[in-house]
Amino acid sequence: MSLRGDGPIEELAVPSGTTVEEHDLVTDGDVLVGGQSTVEFGLRGRNVAIGERVSVENDIEAEGDCRLDTWCSVDGNVLVGEDAYLGERVTVTGRLMVSGDLDIGDDVSIEEGFEANGWIVIRNPVPTLVFYFIVLSQLLRVGETDAADELAAALADGDDVRDPLLIPRSAEISDDAWRVSTPAAVGDDCRLHGNLRAESIRVGERNEVFGSLRAREGITVGAETIIHGDVTTRGGTVTVEADARVLGDVSAGDLVVHDGAEIDGTLRARGEMRLVQETAEEQATEGSDEGDRKNDSERDEDEETTDDADSNAESDDDEDAESDGAMTESDDDAAAADEKSEADEMRADAEAT
């Protein structure tokens, strides 16, 4: 994935579990920063790839590889768990510590020195990490998502594939504000500091954002998320999902508030304002399902009762047939006895005569 030019990073994407800790932006996955961006936080992630002319105003810690493209500046230390790649005219005000190999370009300034446990090559590198990004971006461009997933899984060395932290070109990320000209998406269980400014914003569930949200288009605040600030959009729709809380004002074109959400400030909507009572709908759905299950149970019981009745009727018919047969045999015996009695009387009369 080339981080030059417009690049394939088309949105600010904050993966689930990302936090801001002591002025560091911490995530479990990779960190990709587009060119000409300013990041006032330190960066801590698995692999860290920084585009050209990016300024990082704190330390960088990468568990895997780290790439700093041309004209990058880091106001702090750079700690790399595997291999490091530094382009031309990179400036590091602190110390560079690399556990693996170090590829370094021309006119690089590392003010407090560097140390690498592997090979040190002085050149303008094009590392394997960047080649992987380029191939992956091309697969996504042509719609080969399955092939891209297989490539990502194969290059993850058997580890679970985690969503990366994506910072688009010309972004400004600081403790005061996160400003991008693209859409922004925040995952679940994140803790962020700063006002978020983007084209559109979607915040996932169980997040806490210490700042306001402002977008030209729609804004969605996920369930159980807390926003310590205002939520404002020019003409889009603001959606506040169940059990979310906004500690400020909400201003939107259209406003959708789910049952259980709390908004401490003023509500302003130039268009439609709608309350969604999800709990009642879910109860009705559950009641309908229970009713269907009950009707099915009653239907099964009725069928069993009918089968029992038919079985009993067949049994009664068999008993009646046996009874009729027994009665017929009894009648035949009685008739034979009468005939024998008459014959004996006639014989007795003949002897008497």
Side-chain angles (χ1 to χ4, degrees):
M1 181 183 293
S2 174
L3 302 180
R4 298 177 181 272
D6 293 337
I9 302 179
E10 298 177 350
E11 68 171 358
L12 170 66
V14 181
S16 298
T18 300
T19 59
V20 175
E21 302 175 5
E22 297 293 334
H23 302 292
D24 287 338
L25 191 54
V26 182
T27 183
D28 291 334
D30 299 340
V31 179
L32 308 179
V33 182
Q36 300 184 11
S37 297
T38 300
V39 181
E40 295 185 9
F41 293 112
L43 297 175
R44 290 160 56 187
R46 185 164 58 177
N47 297 312
V48 178
I50 308 296
E52 87 285 357
R53 298 182 184 274
V54 171
S55 175
V56 179
E57 300 186 7
N58 214 319
D59 297 342
I60 294 177
E61 297 183 26
E63 295 179 7
D65 296 342
C66 178
R67 172 181 173 85
L68 304 179
D69 212 333
T70 57
W71 296 99
C72 282
S73 64
V74 179
D75 189 9
N77 301 316
V78 178
L79 309 177
V80 184
E82 295 182 7
D83 301 332
Y85 311 90
L86 275 65
E88 295 180 344
R89 297 177 178 82
V90 168
T91 300
V92 178
T93 63
R95 186 171 179 82
L96 173 64
M97 303 290 292
V98 182
S99 298
D101 299 335
L102 171 62
D103 283 355
I104 189 168
D106 296 332
D107 199 16
V108 173
S109 174
I110 304 174
E111 296 183 5
E112 297 185 9
F114 66 91
E115 179 180 340
N117 293 332
W119 293 95
I120 299 177
V121 180
I122 300 176
R123 59 186 174 87
N124 188 20
V126 180
T128 304
L129 181 64
V130 176
F131 177 75
Y132 152 61
F133 291 148
I134 294 173
V135 174
L136 183 59
S137 66
Q138 293 304 317
L139 289 174
L140 293 174
R141 284 179 184 274
V142 298
E144 296 289 342
T145 55
D146 293 339
D149 291 340
E150 292 178 3
L151 176 62
L155 294 176
D157 295 330
D159 296 337
D160 56 327
V161 179
R162 309 169 206 172
D163 295 331
L165 170 63
L166 303 178
I167 300 177
R169 181 179 177 83
S170 302
E172 296 180 10
I173 308 297
S174 69
D175 197 48
D176 176 64
W178 300 44
R179 293 186 175 89
V180 297
S181 58
T182 64
V186 179
D188 303 329
D189 303 303
C190 297
R191 182 182 177 89
L192 306 179
H193 292 262
N195 303 309
L196 189 53
R197 306 288 184 261
E199 182 179 353
S200 63
I201 301 173
R202 177 171 181 81
V203 182
E205 300 179 355
R206 301 177 301 278
N207 297 295
E208 190 164 13
V209 179
F210 294 89
S212 61
L213 307 180
R214 181 177 295 174
R216 291 191 295 271
E217 299 179 1
I219 298 176
T220 299
V221 179
E224 302 180 34
T225 288
I226 302 176
I227 306 297
H228 295 264
D230 300 335
V231 176
T232 306
T233 178
R234 292 182 181 177
T237 300
V238 171
T239 301
V240 184
E241 296 184 353
D243 299 323
R245 186 176 182 185
V246 178
L247 305 178
D249 299 335
V250 175
S251 179
D254 296 329
L255 177 60
V256 179
V257 180
H258 289 244
D259 190 25
E262 297 182 20
I263 299 175
D264 292 0
T266 303
L267 302 179
R268 299 184 182 89
R270 290 179 290 276
E272 180 183 9
M273 185 179 297
R274 183 161 56 96
L275 175 63
V276 179
Q277 296 182 342
E278 293 183 348
T279 303
E281 294 177 1
E282 291 176 356
Q283 289 179 350
T285 303
E286 292 176 358
S288 177
D289 294 340
E290 290 179 359
D292 294 339
R293 289 193 295 269
K294 183 177 180 181
N295 292 334
D296 293 340
S297 177
E298 292 177 352
R299 190 180 300 111
D300 293 339
E301 291 178 357
D302 292 340
E303 291 176 355
E304 292 177 358
T305 303
T306 303
D307 293 340
D308 292 340
D310 293 339
S311 177
N312 292 335
E314 291 176 359
S315 177
D316 293 341
D317 292 338
D318 293 340
E319 291 178 357
D320 292 340
E322 293 177 357
S323 176
D324 293 340
M327 292 178 64
T328 302
E329 292 177 356
S330 177
D331 293 340
D332 292 341
D333 293 339
D338 292 340
E339 291 177 357
K340 182 178 181 182
S341 176
E342 291 179 357
D344 292 338
E345 292 179 357
M346 291 177 65
R347 189 181 302 107
D349 292 340
E351 291 176 354
T353 304

